[in-house]
Amino acid sequence: MVRPIKIRKLYLPHPTITFSPINSNVAEKKKVTLLSEEYHALRLIDYELLNHSQAAKVMGISRPTITRIYEKARKKLATALIEIRELEVKEGNTTLHGSWYKCKVCGSEFNIPDPDLFQELCPVCNSSELYKL
Amino acid sequence: MIAITIEEENINSKINDCFGKSEYFIIIDSKNKNYKFFRNPGSEEVNFSGIEAAKFLINKGVKTVFSNNFGIKVKKIFDRNKVQLVLLSDRFTHLSTIPSIKEILQNSSEHTPN
C-alpha cells in the first residue's frame, strides 16, 4: 500500500491560465502542465522568497515534500521555456484555505473572513451570483 | 472602508498588480461617500513593504482591500484583523472601471475619511 497523498494547502486561489509564447508556432506541441501545488511552491519560494521549511509550513506538508514539488515545478518551467511550449496551470492535490468565493458576473475572487461582518455579495460588482472555490 | 492598490495619485489610475509594491492606495469611505489617496508607507522597504502597508491600512479602519496579488505575510495580518481580500478580475485594469466605487469617485471630491 502506498501512503495516500497529503492535500496541500493554498492560501490564495490559483489562476487557471495557460501561458503561451506569442512569436512561435506551438499548436502542434504538447503543453507543459504545472499543477496548482507546483505553482504555489514557486510563488512561496521564488516570488515571496520563503525558505523551504517556511513554505512547507504554509502548505501544511513536510520540508522534503515541498522540495520535491519545487524541483518538479522548476523542471517544468525550464522545459516550457527551453522547448518553447505552452504552460498551463491546472488543479492538483490542493485545497484552498479559508472561505473563498468567485463572482460569476465579474470573475473577481474574494474571501469572507467573518460571516457576521461581511455579506455574501461580490464587493466589486455587488452581484449575489457566486460560487465557492 | 475599502482600499485599492493603484499606480498614480488620481481617480483614473491603473490598478497596481501587487499589494506590497504598490505606490499608492486610495481609501474609499462608502458610508460617507468620500475618498483619499495615500502613499504606501512601505513602498521604500525591500522586504517588509507589505507588512508596513497592511498595518497602515488596518489603522485607517479599512475592512476590504482590492488588489491583484497578496503575499503570505500580508494575508496572515489581514486574516488576524478580519480584513476581506479581493483579487480583482483582470478585466478591471483602471480604478474607474470598478462598478461598486464608480459612483463615489464621480460624485464626490477628495476628502479625508473620518
Side-chain angles (χ1 to χ4, degrees):
Chain A
M1 272 292 277
V2 241
R3 247 183 105 84
I5 288 180
K6 205 169 175 182
I7 297 287
R8 296 87 162 87
K9 269 194 289 183
L10 306 185
Y11 80 90
L12 279 189
H14 70 89
T16 318
I17 199 165
T18 302
F19 297 91
S20 182
I22 53 166
N23 49 5
S24 172
N25 179 20
V26 288
E28 298 296 314
K29 292 186 186 176
K30 218 175 155 231
K31 284 178 195 161
V32 177
T33 304
L34 197 64
L35 298 176
S36 50
E37 61 262 40
E38 294 162 349
Y39 180 87
H40 213 72
L42 282 178
R43 160 194 271 279
L44 293 172
I45 296 167
D46 285 340
Y47 183 74
E48 301 199 28
L49 306 176
L50 301 190
N51 63 38
H52 291 200
S53 316
Q54 291 167 326
K57 230 178 160 181
V58 172
M59 288 179 71
I61 50 180
S62 74
R63 211 276 308 145
T65 304
I66 187 109
T67 302
R68 232 171 29 245
I69 293 173
Y70 173 66
E71 289 301 328
K72 271 191 197 159
R74 280 181 49 181
K75 187 140 191 270
K76 286 182 180 179
L77 200 54
T79 305
L81 294 181
I82 306 299
E83 296 180 5
I84 312 179
R85 282 159 61 179
E86 287 182 307
L87 182 76
E88 60 176 355
V89 185
K90 261 195 175 164
E91 180 94 47
N93 297 300
T94 52
T95 172
L96 189 56
H97 181 71
S99 57
W100 282 87
Y101 297 82
K102 187 172 175 123
C103 172
K104 282 185 191 170
V105 178
C106 76
S108 298
E109 295 161 324
F110 58 94
N111 70 345
I112 296 193
D114 187 337
D116 296 334
L117 297 175
F118 296 94
Q119 288 178 293
E120 278 196 22
L121 284 179
C122 172
V124 182
C125 69
N126 293 325
S127 156
S128 58
E129 285 186 56
L130 315 169
Y131 59 92
K132 207 164 186 326
L133 288 171
Chain B
M1 287 215 277
I2 298 169
I4 306 173
T5 58
I6 48 176
E7 288 186 0
E8 295 160 58
E9 221 173 342
N10 65 66
I11 59 169
N12 299 313
S13 171
K14 272 192 197 159
I15 306 293
N16 197 293
D17 284 335
C18 186
F19 177 78
K21 291 171 192 143
S22 166
E23 283 282 308
Y24 297 97
F25 296 111
I26 180 169
I27 297 185
I28 299 157
D29 185 340
S30 29
K31 244 183 221 149
N32 298 319
K33 305 221 178 288
N34 56 43
Y35 62 89
K36 189 163 172 64
F37 297 99
F38 294 94
R39 217 189 150 77
N40 177 359
S43 64
E44 310 279 300
E45 300 242 0
V46 185
N47 283 328
F48 303 102
S49 53
I51 299 177
E52 286 292 314
K55 285 181 184 161
F56 175 78
L57 296 183
I58 289 164
N59 280 336
K60 293 273 172 209
V62 168
K63 294 288 174 223
T64 300
V65 184
F66 291 20
S67 189
N68 290 326
N69 196 2
F70 297 94
I72 180 68
K73 298 183 200 102
V74 167
K75 168 80 165 39
K76 279 183 181 161
I77 298 177
F78 281 145
D79 275 356
R80 229 179 289 138
N81 291 280
K82 294 187 176 168
V83 173
Q84 180 180 45
L85 305 184
V86 181
L87 295 165
L88 284 168
S89 151
D90 57 13
R91 77 166 76 155
F92 303 114
T93 52
H94 290 74
L95 203 49
S96 53
T97 58
I98 301 175
S100 63
I101 59 157
K102 222 181 215 168
E103 200 191 324
I104 298 175
L105 294 187
Q106 280 167 358
N107 298 338
S108 54
S109 52
E110 191 181 352
H111 176 74
T112 316
N114 297 332

